[in-house]
Amino acid sequence: MKIDTITAYMNGGEDYELIFTIDQADFDKVKDLDDVSIIGHITDPSLGLRIVSKQGSEIDIAAAGWNAFTQSN
């Protein structure tokens, strides 16, 4: 499908894994936990809303997906 995996994580409709952020100072506390998958880190807000993958690709973060409260049937 040629879709970036980070884009799929951030916007996919099937939530198999909870996505959360932590302060970079707490990284060592979670990096070796079996049930936590590290997918990247968040940049400084002054650089814009982006997530940086382990491979170094930067992806803009934008609200996407379904909002049941604003969609009409």
Side-chain angles (χ1 to χ4, degrees):
M1 292 176 48
K2 297 183 181 181
I3 186 170
D4 184 88
T5 54
I6 300 297
T7 300
Y9 290 148
M10 298 298 290
N11 299 302
E14 300 298 327
D15 297 326
Y16 293 112
E17 202 168 341
L18 179 64
I19 296 176
F20 64 93
T21 61
I22 61 168
D23 189 293
Q24 195 72 24
D26 294 324
F27 176 73
D28 287 335
K29 295 176 184 176
V30 300
K31 70 178 184 177
D32 296 321
L33 295 175
D34 290 335
D35 295 331
V36 173
S37 300
I38 308 299
I39 62 169
H41 68 273
I42 304 297
T43 60
D44 187 278
S46 67
L47 301 174
L49 297 175
R50 306 178 138 226
I51 187 168
V52 181
S53 73
K54 289 190 279 187
Q55 293 77 26
S57 63
E58 295 186 20
I59 300 165
D60 291 328
I61 297 174
W66 178 262
N67 183 334
F69 298 107
T70 61
Q71 303 297 322
S72 61
N73 292 330

